[in-house]
């Protein structure tokens, strides 16, 4: 990189991704009033603040009429002998239908390709965005096979653009399909 070059989009880290995951869990889990951690926080009188990425994610869901109802669900993938977790299940407040969102934080070159996938997917160019979508696809298939009536699924990408602020948007679907209601590109900025 040339001296003085600045980045317009900020990268993520595992710690940031885990922080947003924990925040999303807090949104759907009601804490037991008798729990010791809640009592300690009440004494300090400081609620645990949501990360700015999570705050923007909540705005994104509200904009679309969605609310989180479950997070970090264990999902067996019997066809490949593995398991994963669904980041969040959201409910459409208008019709009660459920959707799965795979949450990804920070900027990476999502469209940069490096060869192809292996095996039966060797015809598909590999990119970070395609890998994310493949994860979404398998997780959604596992949820459906387990009996959860989800209508569809999307990868939700949160990143910071130094000029536009924190952006939340749907990534394109590469593997399988989902309902047309969620096909349109949605972006929400701070």
């Amino acid at each position: 990189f040339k001296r003085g070059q600045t980045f317009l989009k900020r990268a993520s880290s595992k710690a940031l991704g885990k922080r947003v995951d924990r925040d999303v869990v807090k949104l759907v889990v009601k804490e037991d009033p008798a729990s010791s951690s809640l009592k300690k926080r009440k004494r300090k009188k400081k609620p645990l603040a949501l990360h700015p990425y999570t705050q923007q994610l909540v705005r994104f869901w509200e904009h679309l009429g969605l609310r989180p109802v479950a997070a970090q669900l264990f999902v067996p993938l019997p066809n490949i002998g593995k398991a994963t977790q669904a980041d969040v299940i959201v409910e459409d407040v208008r019709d009660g239908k459920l959707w799965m969102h795979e949450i990804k934080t920070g900027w990476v070159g999502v469209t940069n390709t490096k060869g192809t996938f292996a095996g039966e997917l060797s015809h598909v160019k590999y990119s970070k965005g395609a890998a994310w979508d493949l994860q979404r696809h398998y997780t959604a298939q596992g949820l459906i096979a387990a009996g959860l009536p989800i209508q569809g699924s999307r990868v939700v990408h949160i990143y910071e653009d130094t000029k536009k602020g924190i952006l939340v948007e749907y990534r394109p679907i590469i593997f399988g399909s989902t309902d047309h209601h969620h096909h349109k590109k949605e972006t929400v900025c701070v």
Side-chain angles (χ1 to χ4, degrees), residues 142-178:
L143 288 169
I144 292 165
L148 189 65
I150 62 169
Q151 300 300 305
S153 58
R154 292 302 299 261
V155 173
V156 178
H157 187 194
I158 309 164
Y159 61 94
E160 186 173 356
D161 181 298
T162 55
K163 292 184 177 182
K164 297 178 183 177
I166 298 171
L167 302 175
V168 182
E169 61 189 22
Y170 282 137
R171 297 295 318 151
I173 291 174
I174 299 166
F175 297 97
S177 65
T178 191

Side-chain angles (χ1 to χ4, degrees), residues 41 60 70 97 155:
R41 275 202 308 275
F60 178 77
K97 291 181 179 176
V155 173

